[in-house]
Amino acid sequence: MKQTLRTLLVCGLALALPGCGGGERQAADGTPRAASNRPITIKGSDTMVILGQRFAEEYMRQHSGVVLQVNGGGSGTGIAALINGTVDLAQSSRPMKDAEKESAQKNRGSKLIETSVALDALAVFVHASNAIKELSIEQIAAVYTGKITNWSQLGGENRTIVIYGRENNSGTYEYFREHVLQKADFTPRVQTLSGTAAVINAVSRDVNGIGYGGIAYASDVHTLAVRAEASSPAFAPTEENVANGTYPVSRNLYFYWFENSRPEITQFVEWTISPTGQAVVENVGYYPLPKRAGAESTDTDAAAVQ
């Protein structure tokens, strides 16, 4: 009898402990997931860090027992951590480079999966009192390469332009350099800051300032409309203009992970592109992925990188 009781107690404890017995557990929505007491680790884009944190908060609220840890550091930092195996997911505000993809798949022995989780307008910010309302990509590039140095050259007041930007490990930096500067070098006059929030803070306090970054951070500054060419109409960085492609400096925000990742990682990423996850995107201030006609799922699903 004592032996029987002892056996029942041991079995009961095994079922009660995380990761012990019981096989799969169910999430709050009834979806089965593999039991694990390992946290899901996410690292990368500072542009995405608030979005990643809000994803994590809402997902953990809905899925008891799952733990997610989110850190910034820049897209390049997150991608490097994914390649060397120190994180489960990299968040990036730029697409991974071919060499990075190749290295990731070789080091991790699995296909890399690229998942777009949100749309972003890479916005250009000036001080709230600045009378400038719109600029062309060519004019913005001229400011950031040092060819234009005074607001009077853009139709504004006779004041020296103070330029703020991102550090070079930032996906936003790389995207801006490629798509706005056409890979030209930034002027040494650019004051580099560690995140879009810091850029916004600097521009909001500097009447002569200009900066760039993700649209979700726009607060207490004036956001410029942008023309693709000098003769083109200017478009504001709104959800509609980003979705239909008329705003000329828009992009996808990505999660990168692997085909052989733990089931709970796959389930989390799939949740981020579900209607519930996309509601979090809207609440943060980024733009949700466009929906496929006649379907609830988004038109940008997880795709294996060949």
Side-chain angles (χ1 to χ4, degrees), residues 36-291:
S36 174
N37 57 2
R38 289 173 54 196
I40 297 172
T41 54
I42 305 170
K43 188 177 183 66
S45 169
D46 286 314
T47 296
M48 293 178 66
V49 71
I50 292 178
L51 177 59
Q53 288 169 348
R54 296 290 171 79
F55 274 151
E57 290 168 5
E58 183 62 19
Y59 193 78
M60 288 189 291
R61 188 184 70 80
Q62 295 182 17
H63 298 75
S64 177
V66 179
V67 176
L68 294 103
Q69 298 174 349
V70 182
N71 290 288
S75 296
T77 300
I79 289 168
L82 184 72
I83 291 171
N84 65 33
T86 58
V87 295
D88 297 309
L89 290 165
Q91 51 189 18
S92 181
S93 60
R94 64 164 174 85
M96 281 180 70
K97 301 171 185 176
D98 289 342
E100 292 171 333
K101 293 173 182 177
E102 183 179 350
S103 180
Q105 293 181 144
K106 180 179 179 181
N107 286 5
R108 301 293 294 273
S110 178
K111 282 186 178 180
L112 184 71
I113 307 295
E114 177 184 273
T115 304
S116 298
V117 297
L119 299 180
D120 180 29
L122 204 162
V124 179
F125 314 111
V126 296
H127 190 268
S129 67
N130 196 318
I132 301 292
K133 302 299 180 186
E134 58 187 54
L135 292 175
S136 68
I137 287 181
E138 183 180 6
Q139 288 172 313
I140 298 165
V143 170
Y144 274 87
T145 56
K147 296 175 183 177
I148 290 178
T149 60
N150 195 291
W151 284 112
S152 63
Q153 295 172 269
L154 299 170
E157 297 183 16
N158 182 22
R159 295 179 176 178
T160 299
I161 301 172
V162 180
I163 313 169
Y164 298 98
R166 296 292 310 280
E167 68 286 2
N168 61 13
N169 69 329
S170 158
T172 300
Y173 167 99
E174 292 200 29
Y175 189 91
F176 189 86
R177 182 171 181 264
E178 180 176 350
H179 293 273
V180 177
L181 306 192
Q182 301 301 307
K183 298 186 178 180
D185 291 330
F186 285 84
T187 173
R189 294 179 54 244
V190 176
Q191 299 183 40
T192 58
L193 300 172
S194 60
T196 301
V199 172
I200 290 287
N201 183 60
V203 172
S204 70
R205 297 168 180 268
D206 188 342
V207 294
N208 299 318
I210 187 171
Y212 63 87
I215 189 63
Y217 288 81
S219 178
D220 300 322
V221 291
H222 174 52
T223 303
L224 299 180
V226 177
R227 300 191 299 272
E229 298 177 357
S231 59
S232 301
F235 292 94
T238 64
E239 180 178 348
E240 180 182 2
N241 291 340
V242 169
N244 65 26
T246 53
Y247 182 74
V249 200
S250 57
R251 58 183 176 171
N252 287 58
L253 301 178
Y254 302 97
F255 275 155
Y256 285 97
W257 50 301
F258 292 96
E259 192 174 69
N260 66 353
S261 295
R262 288 178 283 142
E264 56 265 41
I265 295 169
T266 302
Q267 290 157 15
F268 167 67
V269 177
E270 290 175 347
W271 176 88
T272 67
I273 60 174
S274 73
T276 304
Q278 291 297 290
V280 174
V281 171
E282 289 190 89
N283 289 337
V284 170
Y286 286 114
Y287 302 141
L289 300 168
K291 293 180 179 178

